[in-house]
Amino acid sequence: MYHFIQKLHSGWAYLALLLLLFAVINAIIGLTSKKEFTAKDRKISLFALIGTHTQLLIGLILYFVSPLGKNAFGQMSNAALRLTSLEHPLTNLIAIVLITIGWSKHKKLINSETKHKTFVIYYGLGLILILSRIPWNLWF
């Protein structure tokens, strides 16, 4: 079961990152070209939100069935174990909280420019945090 969930978590990460990157680029284009915020923009951002939340759920399941997760917790002297047991989960959780805040904030806004700006800031920060803590050596 562990290997299946690990492959699912790695595979879904590609989709989640693509959706998040697409949402950020779409928001940047909308902000810079002063486009009206449409239902298409909302759907793109919603799919990115769903993709990252699904990745979080898969990651939490993996964390508790993985020998690299909770069993390695507290081993701060080993950089690889520290990344997989603490830095990766914690940073990505913070990133997904930022993405969720961005989604919640946009619903209260009326102006299209501020909606696009909200997504650029919150989804962009989330994307940067996620990219900073991906265990690249395990991916390639």
Side-chain angles (χ1 to χ4, degrees):
M1 182 165 129
Y2 162 70
H3 293 291
F4 172 76
I5 296 171
Q6 183 185 30
K7 296 295 181 197
L8 179 63
H9 185 63
S10 294
W12 193 267
Y14 290 108
L15 178 63
L17 281 173
L18 282 173
L19 289 169
L20 189 56
L21 182 64
F22 187 57
V24 170
I25 291 170
N26 182 64
I28 291 170
I29 291 170
L31 181 64
T32 57
S33 64
K34 301 195 184 309
K35 286 176 34 183
E36 192 67 31
F37 189 84
T38 64
K40 181 189 103 187
D41 298 318
R42 188 185 67 76
K43 288 177 186 172
I44 290 170
S45 300
L46 178 61
F47 287 140
L49 178 81
I50 292 169
T52 55
H53 278 82
T54 303
Q55 180 69 355
L56 173 66
L57 289 175
I58 297 167
L60 286 173
I61 293 168
L62 180 63
Y63 187 78
F64 289 106
V65 300
S66 169
L68 298 175
K70 66 177 180 143
N71 294 338
F73 196 75
Q75 308 231 356
M76 298 299 117
S77 60
N78 184 328
L81 289 177
R82 185 178 60 240
L83 175 66
T84 57
S85 69
L86 179 67
E87 293 173 2
H88 176 77
L90 184 61
T91 305
N92 288 334
L93 182 62
I94 293 168
I96 292 171
V97 166
L98 285 171
I99 291 166
T100 306
I101 290 170
W103 175 259
S104 296
K105 281 181 135 332
H106 107 276
K107 293 189 286 186
K108 298 177 182 101
L109 300 172
I110 298 169
N111 185 338
S112 289
E113 183 180 353
T114 55
K115 286 186 178 199
H116 287 300
K117 187 177 183 179
T118 299
F119 282 122
V120 168
I121 292 169
Y122 286 95
Y123 278 44
L125 285 173
L127 179 62
I128 290 168
L129 285 174
I130 289 170
L131 289 174
S132 75
R133 292 294 101 199
I134 289 177
W136 295 104
N137 60 333
L138 297 176
W139 258 23
F140 299 107

